[in-house]
Amino acid sequence: MQDVPARSHDWNVSTDEAKRIQRRLASEVAETALPNDVETVAGVDVSVRDDRAQAAVSVLRMPEMSVTDEAVHRCEVPFPYVPGLLSFREMPAVLPALQQLDTAPDVFVTDSHGVAHPRRFGLACHLGVLCDVPAIGVAKSILVGAPQGELGAQKGHRVPLVDDGETVGTVLRTRTDVNPVYVSVGHQCTLDAAADLMLDCSPRYKIPEPTRQAHKLSRTDE
């Protein structure tokens, strides 16, 4: 993915400096329209074992959800586990994995939050802003905020996720009678478009297929 620009900064920083970086970069998150015809969606996931991170990227083609490209990168973890600072732990492994891709996907999806984050800058935002690409966060649990309204049991039902009076995400039912996922903007997308795309990417399972495939790949042995 050599044609996609990537900015960077120091990752081995104090927690206070990490929060300052998040606040500074959060102002660059753009909520703009997704490309008209999304053909490829890349799922991103990272597993950490014994202070080593294994980042995996799985690129799937729409609408059949077939894997067209994938990459793995392993490295030492430069940052401790701190709630709200996941990207400083995982992005140093993700960025080199992205460089291994043969083509640039249309949209990236992370197994984490975007703006549904205390400083409105989760891992999906960090990826999107640094690489200047459309990115969406899809998490399995809430980091900040609360659902507004009653979520229906049927696939496709959604309600806003609101924090301190601000809509930061969507609570989305991707499978009937199964716990929802929490979708939020990462970069260069709108919340409605992000939720619609994730529903299209979830034909069989609760977890969207791009991140489901990346999750499996991130746990393969060397």
Side-chain angles (χ1 to χ4, degrees):
M1 206 176 76
Q2 299 295 327
D3 56 335
V4 174
R7 297 159 53 190
S8 192
H9 53 71
D10 192 2
W11 298 100
N12 188 12
V13 297
S14 68
T15 56
D16 286 343
E17 177 61 17
K19 291 175 183 179
R20 283 193 288 270
I21 291 171
Q22 287 181 329
R23 292 189 183 99
R24 173 171 55 83
L25 294 178
S27 65
E28 300 186 29
V29 172
E31 296 195 22
T32 54
L34 283 172
N36 290 329
D37 297 313
V38 174
E39 295 182 354
T40 54
V41 180
V44 178
D45 192 34
V46 180
S47 65
V48 178
R49 305 172 188 170
D50 300 325
D51 292 325
R52 282 188 63 81
Q54 179 163 303
V57 185
S58 294
V59 183
L60 277 64
R61 181 166 297 281
M62 301 284 290
E64 61 270 23
M65 293 286 99
S66 58
V67 177
T68 63
D69 196 3
E70 58 186 21
V72 172
H73 180 78
R74 304 173 184 89
C75 65
E76 297 294 324
V77 176
F79 199 87
Y81 173 75
V82 179
L85 296 177
L86 180 69
S87 60
F88 285 83
R89 188 170 172 83
E90 298 189 354
M91 280 290 289
V94 170
L95 292 175
L98 298 183
Q99 293 300 319
Q100 297 178 35
L101 297 177
D102 292 329
T103 57
D106 295 323
V107 181
F108 291 82
V109 184
T110 67
D111 181 28
S112 59
H113 291 284
V115 299
H117 179 275
R119 288 166 293 282
R120 305 297 187 255
F121 200 74
L123 194 151
C125 299
H126 220 145
L127 171 61
V129 168
L130 290 191
C131 295
D132 192 27
V133 293
I136 298 168
V138 181
K140 297 183 283 293
S141 60
I142 294 175
L143 184 58
V144 294
Q148 298 297 297
E150 183 177 352
L151 184 67
Q154 294 298 311
K155 177 176 179 173
H157 200 271
R158 65 188 76 174
V159 296
L161 180 68
V162 176
D163 180 48
D164 197 23
E166 178 184 0
T167 297
V168 296
T170 293
V171 184
L172 179 65
R173 188 87 70 185
T174 53
R175 191 176 179 193
T176 298
D177 289 327
V178 172
N179 288 338
V181 295
Y182 304 92
V183 179
S184 58
V185 169
H187 190 48
Q188 297 179 3
C189 65
T190 64
L191 184 55
D192 284 344
D196 289 343
L197 181 60
M198 290 305 94
L199 201 57
D200 291 341
C201 287
S202 307
R204 296 180 59 193
Y205 301 99
K206 165 186 169 177
I207 304 301
E209 196 63 16
T211 47
R212 197 180 79 86
Q213 291 295 332
H215 177 83
K216 290 166 56 178
L217 184 61
S218 75
R219 281 149 181 78
T220 57
D221 295 331
E222 297 189 30

Tab-separated table of all heavy atoms in Angstrom, residues 133-162:
chain	number	residue	atom	x	y	z
A	133	VAL	N	-7.109	7.997	5.234
A	133	VAL	CA	-7.993	7.025	4.596
A	133	VAL	C	-9.334	6.987	5.339
A	133	VAL	O	-9.405	7.311	6.521
A	133	VAL	CB	-7.370	5.610	4.596
A	133	VAL	CG1	-6.134	5.555	3.710
A	133	VAL	CG2	-7.056	5.145	6.016
A	134	PRO	N	-10.416	6.555	4.663
A	134	PRO	CA	-11.682	6.340	5.354
A	134	PRO	C	-11.546	5.198	6.357
A	134	PRO	O	-11.009	4.135	6.020
A	134	PRO	CB	-12.656	5.960	4.230
A	134	PRO	CG	-12.030	6.498	2.978
A	134	PRO	CD	-10.555	6.368	3.201
A	135	ALA	N	-12.010	5.428	7.583
A	135	ALA	CA	-11.875	4.415	8.631
A	135	ALA	C	-13.115	4.421	9.519
A	135	ALA	O	-13.717	5.469	9.774
A	135	ALA	CB	-10.626	4.662	9.469
A	136	ILE	N	-13.464	3.230	9.998
A	136	ILE	CA	-14.648	3.021	10.835
A	136	ILE	C	-14.244	2.182	12.035
A	136	ILE	O	-13.492	1.206	11.895
A	136	ILE	CB	-15.751	2.287	10.043
A	136	ILE	CG1	-16.194	3.125	8.839
A	136	ILE	CG2	-16.945	1.963	10.940
A	136	ILE	CD1	-17.063	2.356	7.853
A	137	GLY	N	-14.734	2.545	13.205
A	137	GLY	CA	-14.508	1.741	14.395
A	137	GLY	C	-15.731	0.885	14.699
A	137	GLY	O	-16.858	1.390	14.680
A	138	VAL	N	-15.509	-0.393	14.956
A	138	VAL	CA	-16.588	-1.303	15.349
A	138	VAL	C	-16.124	-2.064	16.581
A	138	VAL	O	-15.231	-2.906	16.497
A	138	VAL	CB	-16.954	-2.295	14.227
A	138	VAL	CG1	-18.098	-3.199	14.684
A	138	VAL	CG2	-17.354	-1.549	12.958
A	139	ALA	N	-16.721	-1.749	17.719
A	139	ALA	CA	-16.315	-2.351	18.988
A	139	ALA	C	-17.408	-3.263	19.530
A	139	ALA	O	-18.582	-3.130	19.175
A	139	ALA	CB	-15.997	-1.260	20.006
A	140	LYS	N	-16.996	-4.160	20.407
A	140	LYS	CA	-17.937	-5.110	21.001
A	140	LYS	C	-18.492	-4.638	22.337
A	140	LYS	O	-19.389	-5.265	22.890
A	140	LYS	CB	-17.257	-6.474	21.159
A	140	LYS	CG	-16.849	-7.103	19.829
A	140	LYS	CD	-16.242	-8.474	20.020
A	140	LYS	CE	-14.810	-8.405	20.514
A	140	LYS	NZ	-13.878	-7.844	19.518
A	141	SER	N	-17.930	-3.553	22.886
A	141	SER	CA	-18.404	-3.025	24.165
A	141	SER	C	-18.303	-1.504	24.147
A	141	SER	O	-17.612	-0.916	23.307
A	141	SER	CB	-17.590	-3.599	25.325
A	141	SER	OG	-16.219	-3.265	25.187
A	142	ILE	N	-18.993	-0.876	25.075
A	142	ILE	CA	-19.031	0.582	25.148
A	142	ILE	C	-17.838	1.091	25.950
A	142	ILE	O	-17.536	0.571	27.025
A	142	ILE	CB	-20.344	1.052	25.796
A	142	ILE	CG1	-21.539	0.707	24.901
A	142	ILE	CG2	-20.309	2.545	26.072
A	142	ILE	CD1	-22.887	1.034	25.531
A	143	LEU	N	-17.179	2.128	25.427
A	143	LEU	CA	-16.112	2.801	26.158
A	143	LEU	C	-16.646	4.060	26.837
A	143	LEU	O	-16.349	4.325	27.990
A	143	LEU	CB	-14.963	3.151	25.212
A	143	LEU	CG	-13.705	3.777	25.831
A	143	LEU	CD1	-13.105	2.868	26.901
A	143	LEU	CD2	-12.683	4.083	24.732
A	144	VAL	N	-17.423	4.838	26.100
A	144	VAL	CA	-18.098	6.007	26.663
A	144	VAL	C	-19.507	6.087	26.089
A	144	VAL	O	-19.778	5.580	25.001
A	144	VAL	CB	-17.353	7.326	26.336
A	144	VAL	CG1	-15.993	7.377	27.013
A	144	VAL	CG2	-17.220	7.546	24.835
A	145	GLY	N	-20.405	6.752	26.823
A	145	GLY	CA	-21.745	6.981	26.324
A	145	GLY	C	-22.738	5.918	26.729
A	145	GLY	O	-22.400	4.940	27.412
A	146	ALA	N	-23.974	6.107	26.298
A	146	ALA	CA	-25.063	5.182	26.603
A	146	ALA	C	-26.043	5.181	25.431
A	146	ALA	O	-26.228	6.210	24.772
A	146	ALA	CB	-25.776	5.594	27.884
A	147	PRO	N	-26.673	4.033	25.150
A	147	PRO	CA	-27.674	3.971	24.079
A	147	PRO	C	-28.868	4.865	24.411
A	147	PRO	O	-29.287	4.956	25.562
A	147	PRO	CB	-28.074	2.490	24.052
A	147	PRO	CG	-26.960	1.769	24.747
A	147	PRO	CD	-26.438	2.722	25.775
A	148	GLN	N	-29.402	5.507	23.392
A	148	GLN	CA	-30.593	6.335	23.548
A	148	GLN	C	-31.767	5.656	22.866
A	148	GLN	O	-31.806	5.552	21.648
A	148	GLN	CB	-30.354	7.719	22.943
A	148	GLN	CG	-29.234	8.485	23.615
A	148	GLN	CD	-29.530	8.778	25.076
A	148	GLN	OE1	-30.483	9.478	25.395
A	148	GLN	NE2	-28.702	8.234	25.961
A	149	GLY	N	-32.705	5.179	23.669
A	149	GLY	CA	-33.840	4.460	23.108
A	149	GLY	C	-33.663	2.963	23.221
A	149	GLY	O	-32.596	2.456	23.580
A	150	GLU	N	-34.717	2.256	22.896
A	150	GLU	CA	-34.724	0.790	23.005
A	150	GLU	C	-34.315	0.176	21.679
A	150	GLU	O	-34.899	0.477	20.627
A	150	GLU	CB	-36.110	0.299	23.413
A	150	GLU	CG	-36.178	-1.202	23.620
A	150	GLU	CD	-37.542	-1.662	24.101
A	150	GLU	OE1	-38.376	-0.792	24.410
A	150	GLU	OE2	-37.760	-2.881	24.158
A	151	LEU	N	-33.324	-0.671	21.725
A	151	LEU	CA	-32.841	-1.333	20.514
A	151	LEU	C	-33.721	-2.530	20.196
A	151	LEU	O	-33.898	-3.422	21.026
A	151	LEU	CB	-31.391	-1.787	20.708
A	151	LEU	CG	-30.712	-2.412	19.490
A	151	LEU	CD1	-30.518	-1.377	18.388
A	151	LEU	CD2	-29.367	-3.025	19.884
A	152	GLY	N	-34.247	-2.558	18.996
A	152	GLY	CA	-35.054	-3.690	18.571
A	152	GLY	C	-34.231	-4.952	18.413
A	152	GLY	O	-33.005	-4.906	18.261
A	153	ALA	N	-34.919	-6.093	18.425
A	153	ALA	CA	-34.227	-7.381	18.372
A	153	ALA	C	-33.821	-7.789	16.962
A	153	ALA	O	-32.991	-8.672	16.787
A	153	ALA	CB	-35.112	-8.473	18.975
A	154	GLN	N	-34.384	-7.139	15.945
A	154	GLN	CA	-34.142	-7.554	14.571
A	154	GLN	C	-32.842	-6.998	14.006
A	154	GLN	O	-32.410	-5.880	14.338
A	154	GLN	CB	-35.303	-7.094	13.683
A	154	GLN	CG	-36.628	-7.768	13.990
A	154	GLN	CD	-36.582	-9.269	13.768
A	154	GLN	OE1	-36.122	-9.744	12.715
A	154	GLN	NE2	-37.049	-10.020	14.747
A	155	LYS	N	-32.211	-7.773	13.154
A	155	LYS	CA	-31.017	-7.332	12.452
A	155	LYS	C	-31.294	-6.014	11.723
A	155	LYS	O	-32.338	-5.853	11.089
A	155	LYS	CB	-30.567	-8.385	11.449
A	155	LYS	CG	-29.366	-7.980	10.601
A	155	LYS	CD	-28.907	-9.101	9.689
A	155	LYS	CE	-27.710	-8.639	8.847
A	155	LYS	NZ	-27.122	-9.736	8.056
A	156	GLY	N	-30.366	-5.072	11.841
A	156	GLY	CA	-30.510	-3.793	11.172
A	156	GLY	C	-31.026	-2.683	12.059
A	156	GLY	O	-30.901	-1.506	11.710
A	157	HIS	N	-31.598	-3.037	13.225
A	157	HIS	CA	-32.088	-1.980	14.100
A	157	HIS	C	-30.907	-1.250	14.727
A	157	HIS	O	-29.879	-1.844	15.012
A	157	HIS	CB	-33.005	-2.554	15.182
A	157	HIS	CG	-33.902	-1.518	15.783
A	157	HIS	ND1	-33.562	-0.756	16.867
A	157	HIS	CD2	-35.139	-1.093	15.416
A	157	HIS	CE1	-34.544	0.077	17.159
A	157	HIS	NE2	-35.509	-0.107	16.289
A	158	ARG	N	-31.089	0.053	14.950
A	158	ARG	CA	-30.001	0.864	15.510
A	158	ARG	C	-30.567	2.003	16.350
A	158	ARG	O	-31.675	2.460	16.107
A	158	ARG	CB	-29.116	1.424	14.396
A	158	ARG	CG	-29.831	2.409	13.492
A	158	ARG	CD	-29.000	2.810	12.290
A	158	ARG	NE	-28.948	1.770	11.272
A	158	ARG	CZ	-28.375	1.914	10.081
A	158	ARG	NH1	-27.766	3.044	9.774
A	158	ARG	NH2	-28.378	0.945	9.203
A	159	VAL	N	-29.790	2.418	17.335
A	159	VAL	CA	-30.112	3.598	18.140
A	159	VAL	C	-28.819	4.373	18.352
A	159	VAL	O	-27.724	3.813	18.271
A	159	VAL	CB	-30.747	3.232	19.505
A	159	VAL	CG1	-32.084	2.534	19.311
A	159	VAL	CG2	-29.802	2.377	20.338
A	160	PRO	N	-28.925	5.674	18.642
A	160	PRO	CA	-27.715	6.472	18.850
A	160	PRO	C	-26.983	6.085	20.132
A	160	PRO	O	-27.596	5.697	21.128
A	160	PRO	CB	-28.242	7.907	18.944
A	160	PRO	CG	-29.606	7.870	18.351
A	160	PRO	CD	-30.142	6.503	18.645
A	161	LEU	N	-25.670	6.227	20.114
A	161	LEU	CA	-24.827	6.127	21.298
A	161	LEU	C	-24.424	7.556	21.646
A	161	LEU	O	-23.771	8.232	20.848
A	161	LEU	CB	-23.595	5.270	21.020
A	161	LEU	CG	-22.616	5.088	22.186
A	161	LEU	CD1	-23.247	4.264	23.287
A	161	LEU	CD2	-21.323	4.417	21.701
A	162	VAL	N	-24.835	8.034	22.836
A	162	VAL	CA	-24.677	9.446	23.193
A	162	VAL	C	-23.806	9.589	24.430
A	162	VAL	O	-23.985	8.871	25.420
A	162	VAL	CB	-26.055	10.105	23.423
A	162	VAL	CG1	-25.893	11.549	23.883
A	162	VAL	CG2	-26.895	10.044	22.146
